[in-house]
Amino acid sequence: MVLSAACTPKVQWRSVPMDGHRSGAECLTAENIDTGLGRFTDSSYVMPSGAVFSLESPSAQVARALLAVQPHMAPLKKVVGHSARMMMNLRDNPDLPLGNLFADVLRAYGSKYFGVPMDFAITNFGGIRVPMPEGAITLEDISSMFPFKNYLCYCKIRGSQLTKLFEQLAGTKAFQATSGATVRVKAHKLESVLVGGEPIDPERIYNVATIDFLLDGGDNLRIGALSEDVKLTHVLLKEVMLDYVEGMEAQGKIIDAASDGRVIMED
């Protein structure tokens, strides 16, 4: 049987807060593996709330299964950095701290990796699947934020084509996460754009850091078709963010970001 387009189910990702008010159970972290799900005695399973269940109960079986895989999960529980606060990611807001942070990280990493300054960077909000947590950041957090195999790319784009990219973005509901540009959009039309604080030169070649997903149709963008040259890499986005987080931790710095008016969209 083949499903028609009208029958194809749509899948959406969303975060659901864990509700452990009945059991006292907590999401397992590097600090609470021995207490987060309770404990086992010779004859029973004791929840963190103090409730006692037989070893054959469904609650005990679930807890035992979760605890059994923790040794395999241990590497992902490694703390690699710290964040000043939780940072959300919403597709319909192009100027949120998390999107701004990662776009800036992508531009800086691209400049270092390719050995030339990146004038602009763009990545898609949909590729950032969960928020940045407050406090300790684990490898698991980074993997959950960037679960897809999206790879760093370097595009050389002439100014006239770069303007077309901004016009395409202006016509969409979600402008996407960007770095290096200041943009104003009104009624889905591009009103103004500055790159590096300057108007776009139609004849200049701009260095753009992006991801392979956006090269040929991802989120309805075809950056590859606008480019005069494209360099692909095998560097995953989670590796880009991990490099930044570990670098901040090595310097003893707490990660934070802010909305800064880089994209203003008006009805």
Side-chain angles (χ1 to χ4, degrees):
M1 181 178 71
V2 178
L3 291 175
S4 68
C7 297
T8 303
K10 293 183 178 180
V11 178
Q12 293 183 334
W13 292 60
R14 63 189 180 95
S15 297
V16 178
M18 181 173 176
D19 181 2
H21 74 280
R22 293 174 182 262
S23 64
E26 301 174 320
C27 290
L28 295 179
T29 68
E31 288 76 29
N32 71 351
I33 290 177
D34 56 341
T35 61
L37 293 180
R39 59 188 175 85
F40 284 88
T41 69
D42 292 339
S43 59
S44 62
Y45 163 58
V46 183
M47 285 185 167
S49 63
V52 178
F53 293 83
S54 71
L55 295 177
E56 293 74 31
S57 67
S59 294
Q61 293 176 34
V62 170
R64 184 180 290 109
L66 288 174
L67 290 171
V69 301
Q70 292 312 304
H72 303 285
M73 295 288 290
L76 290 175
K77 300 298 183 182
K78 178 185 176 183
V79 175
V80 292
H82 290 82
S83 174
R85 56 201 170 97
M86 185 178 76
M87 288 182 267
M88 299 292 292
N89 177 47
L90 301 174
R91 291 170 184 254
D92 59 352
N93 190 332
D95 186 27
L96 284 178
L98 182 56
N100 290 351
L101 171 67
F102 185 64
D104 289 345
V105 168
L106 182 66
R107 184 160 67 103
Y109 189 99
S111 298
K112 179 176 66 174
Y113 186 90
F114 293 109
V116 294
M118 293 291 117
D119 300 298
F120 177 65
I122 176 172
T123 187
N124 66 318
F125 283 115
I128 309 173
R129 302 310 298 193
V130 300
M132 172 78 79
E134 179 179 359
I137 304 168
T138 65
L139 282 174
E140 184 177 25
D141 294 322
I142 302 298
S143 295
S144 297
M145 289 175 69
F146 302 99
F148 304 122
K149 289 187 176 180
N150 291 331
Y151 295 94
L152 169 71
C153 298
Y154 166 28
C155 298
K156 294 183 179 181
I157 304 180
R158 192 171 296 275
S160 57
Q161 297 295 90
L162 187 59
T163 298
K164 289 183 180 180
L165 173 60
F166 283 110
E167 291 172 343
Q168 292 175 12
L169 290 167
T172 65
K173 181 179 179 181
F175 193 90
Q176 305 303 345
T178 62
S179 174
T182 305
V183 185
R184 182 177 290 273
V185 175
K186 188 170 185 178
H188 299 292
K189 299 291 184 181
L190 182 66
E191 279 207 331
S192 65
V193 56
L194 300 176
V195 174
E198 300 288 339
I200 294 177
D201 180 346
E203 296 303 318
R204 176 184 163 188
I205 300 297
Y206 290 83
N207 299 321
V208 177
T210 187
I211 59 174
D212 61 330
F213 176 71
L214 299 181
L215 293 181
D216 190 26
D219 279 339
N220 296 316
L221 294 177
R222 290 177 171 79
I223 297 177
L226 300 174
S227 304
E228 300 198 1
D229 187 27
V230 176
K231 297 184 185 299
L232 305 177
T233 76
H234 295 289
V235 179
L236 291 166
L237 289 196
K238 66 178 181 181
E239 296 170 337
V240 173
M241 180 59 97
L242 181 59
D243 179 80
Y244 168 75
V245 171
E246 289 183 328
M248 291 290 282
E249 185 75 357
Q251 298 174 59
K253 295 181 178 179
I254 305 296
I255 292 170
D256 202 0
S259 300
D260 56 15
R262 65 182 64 184
V263 178
I264 298 175
M265 301 185 75
E266 301 175 344
D267 295 331

